[in-house]
Amino acid sequence: MSLYRAVLAADGDAAEGLHAAELALAGRETVWQLDGSGGFAVKVSEGRAAFFVCEKAAALTLDALRSCCAPFGVGEAVECDDSQYILAIGLVDGTVLKTVGAAAAVTASPVEFSPTSDDVRSIVAEIGDYYFGYEDRYRTVYENGAELWESAEPNASLRQMMDARPEIFAGQIIDLGCGEGRDSLYLLEQGHSVVSVDVSHSALSRARERATAAKLDASGFVERDIIYLRGFEDDSFDLAMNMGCLHMLVDEEQRSRHISRVFDILRPGGHFVVDHCASEWGKGFFSIPDYDGVAADLVPGRVIPRKIRVAEGEKDIDLEVLPFSERSGDALAEEICRHGFEAVTVVQTDTEAFGASAMVLFRKPADA
């Protein structure tokens, strides 16, 4: 068994011959250096951390640190060989790591005060709203009395695609950026096999609660970063759905990495459904009934009133506008086809979930 697989499976004692330990990251300021002779692996068992996988023989410049940084969520793991070590810093309070070493236990030591730790903290401060904006959003609306941020009903565009192309909803399905699970729960109710991923642990907790209440399998709701899709084997899914998550990514490199990873994890001949805001972000949203009145303020970073559903009916709360991207159907098709996909259909939709959007069905060539 590889160290990577061993640490994924290590909830108690490590497999024979390996050395398991647990590390609680103290706060969100302390940078930890992890190392192990013979190689080692690390996973996040609670919270969220930034890992910097560094080469021992390479100079540790600011650019080098930036290039090797990636946020990791619960259940995500990384393996290092003899030539590498990890710098780690907690991104939320209460972050805990599980380590598995090959020849010996992993060593962990704080590097709180050094140019390197200052550089790590400066890079972490630049991590964008994709990772934290929507977690803050879900937590805030729950604290204000909403049971859900989204509607409990599946996206209208998903129902439209299922009516038009029922044959693609077969085999193993992955719901990318599932949020509170509205689409995944609907598919589970129909008897489909679904893995559902998101970076928001609050939204996933709500999705699991709803699944359990409906006597559905909640084990498929997992915290994963859709940019990297770590831990999923190539050619393992028949259908991937990105229903309103890709338009939350505004960085072109992140979008490209996500699309490439979806191509990898789909089986040849598999399909990819993308519903993406096309224009006038916010128009038609349930939470923005007065679009004309706030359109000029729909700028990332500004705060506007948003409507939420509570037990007593509806309630207005102030929420920050998060970054978003708009793409026409043709532009979206061109972007995704650059990664090897074939565009099958392009449909313009206008729903409460995404307003004016482009829904495009792609196919991974059978000979890929």
Side-chain angles (χ1 to χ4, degrees):
M1 178 186 293
S2 70
L3 290 170
Y4 180 83
R5 292 297 169 195
V7 80
L8 288 179
D11 291 323
D13 295 333
E16 185 177 354
L18 300 178
H19 306 266
E22 200 168 72
L23 172 65
L25 301 186
R28 288 179 282 175
E29 290 295 317
T30 304
V31 180
W32 293 80
Q33 181 168 331
L34 310 179
D35 205 346
S37 60
F40 68 100
V42 184
K43 77 172 178 181
V44 179
S45 53
E46 296 179 39
R48 179 166 285 272
F51 289 163
F52 298 74
V53 181
C54 306
E55 298 292 333
K56 293 178 181 178
L60 205 57
T61 65
L62 181 60
D63 286 342
L65 281 170
R66 277 204 173 91
S67 69
C68 68
C69 171
F72 281 65
V74 171
E76 295 188 309
V78 63
E79 180 179 356
C80 290
D81 60 28
D82 270 339
S83 69
Q84 299 170 313
Y85 66 95
I86 286 177
L87 297 176
I89 185 170
L91 297 179
V92 296
D93 291 333
T95 296
V96 178
L97 307 182
K98 186 82 171 185
T99 65
V100 170
V106 176
T107 62
S109 56
V111 284
E112 297 183 60
F113 305 105
S114 72
T116 295
S117 58
D118 288 342
D119 286 344
V120 166
R121 284 188 283 266
S122 71
I123 293 168
V124 166
E126 298 170 1
I127 293 177
D129 284 327
Y130 161 69
Y131 289 100
F132 304 110
Y134 277 87
E135 166 59 23
D136 291 343
R137 169 68 43 81
Y138 286 117
R139 189 177 65 251
T140 299
V141 299
Y142 299 155
E143 290 171 350
N144 276 273
E147 180 181 354
L148 297 170
W149 164 244
E150 305 157 337
S151 167
E153 298 300 315
N155 283 309
S157 50
L158 172 66
R159 297 285 295 270
Q160 181 178 341
M161 182 60 72
M162 292 184 75
D163 289 341
R165 297 296 301 267
E167 75 281 0
I168 71 171
F169 291 86
Q172 188 67 37
I173 301 171
I174 185 167
D175 186 1
L176 303 160
C178 67
E180 296 162 325
R182 59 191 294 187
D183 292 336
S184 293
L185 291 167
Y186 178 74
L187 291 170
L188 289 169
E189 288 170 351
Q190 307 301 310
H192 295 287
S193 178
V194 188
V195 173
S196 313
V197 304
D198 204 279
V199 294
S200 169
H201 56 84
S202 293
L204 287 168
S205 294
R206 194 56 52 99
R208 294 186 193 106
E209 291 169 4
R210 296 181 63 203
T212 300
K215 295 182 170 52
L216 299 169
D217 183 7
S219 65
F221 291 96
V222 292
E223 185 175 333
R224 289 292 185 276
D225 186 339
I226 67 160
I227 295 171
Y228 300 95
L229 291 172
R230 304 181 187 96
F232 295 118
E233 300 289 344
D234 289 355
D235 304 334
S236 55
F237 292 95
D238 299 283
L239 173 66
M241 310 187 319
N242 188 313
M243 309 301 286
C245 185
L246 182 57
H247 59 214
M248 289 158 30
L249 296 180
V250 297
D251 181 89
E252 295 300 326
E253 182 178 344
Q254 291 181 340
R255 291 172 66 92
S256 178
R257 183 173 291 166
H258 165 66
I259 298 164
S260 293
R261 282 296 292 136
V262 174
F263 188 89
D264 291 341
I265 66 173
L266 276 177
R267 295 188 178 104
H271 290 85
F272 184 24
V273 180
V274 182
D275 203 355
H276 192 293
C277 179
S279 63
E280 296 182 301
W281 172 269
K283 188 174 185 178
F285 289 15
F286 165 82
S287 63
I288 306 179
D290 181 23
Y291 173 80
D292 291 336
V294 300
D297 291 319
L298 287 174
V299 177
R302 293 190 185 177
V303 174
I304 64 168
R306 301 289 292 268
K307 192 174 293 296
I308 60 174
R309 304 172 179 90
V310 295
E312 300 77 18
E314 297 175 355
K315 177 180 178 180
D316 288 329
I317 63 173
D318 290 335
L319 292 172
E320 182 179 334
V321 177
L322 298 176
F324 59 88
S325 178
E326 298 175 337
R327 293 285 195 283
S328 69
D330 289 343
L332 185 64
E334 191 277 332
E335 176 187 19
I336 293 179
C337 286
R338 287 201 303 267
H339 297 269
F341 284 101
E342 302 168 343
V344 180
T345 58
V346 179
V347 180
Q348 305 305 314
T349 63
D350 194 348
T351 67
E352 179 187 285
F354 311 131
S357 67
M359 182 167 58
V360 186
L361 175 62
F362 299 92
R363 180 176 176 270
K364 179 176 178 176
D367 58 354

